Amino acid sequence: MPGHLGARQDQREPALIRWLVALLAALVGACIGAGVMAMGLGLLFTAIGGSFEGSAAMGGVAVGLPLGSVLGFGLGGWLLLRSWKPAPRSTP
């Protein structure tokens, strides 16, 4: 049985799990961001424009959902990748 020769090729490459977890965090961030931004803009547009048949709130939701999902997706992935520190390498 050969002695320890160091890390294998697949162990030297960056782990794929980091990017999969970042994608999951980005999707969760998109869902949360869309909901928060839609509610916030719905309330803001209603306060500014009045509540005639809910048109201002519908406009706020129509703008807030895509805007919040894009911002939440980017922010969720960025925060996770920024805070994820790789394990320190030990020298033999």
Side-chain angles (χ1 to χ4, degrees), residues 41-55:
L41 287 182
L43 290 171
L44 179 68
F45 286 4
T46 301
I48 292 172
S51 61
F52 178 70
E53 294 182 1
S55 61

Side-chain angles (χ1 to χ4, degrees), residues 18 77-86:
R18 178 180 180 184
W78 178 74
L79 282 174
L80 183 89
L81 288 176
R82 183 174 168 260
S83 66
W84 189 314
K85 304 270 190 274

Side-chain angles (χ1 to χ4, degrees), residues 61-85:
V61 169
V63 171
L65 280 175
L67 182 64
S69 63
V70 169
L71 290 175
F73 187 86
L75 190 63
W78 178 74
L79 282 174
L80 183 89
L81 288 176
R82 183 174 168 260
S83 66
W84 189 314
K85 304 270 190 274

Side-chain angles (χ1 to χ4, degrees), residues 13-27 73 76-82 84:
E13 296 176 3
L16 178 62
I17 193 71
R18 178 180 180 184
W19 297 102
L20 292 175
V21 172
L23 178 65
L24 180 64
L27 291 174
F73 187 86
W78 178 74
L79 282 174
L80 183 89
L81 288 176
R82 183 174 168 260
W84 189 314

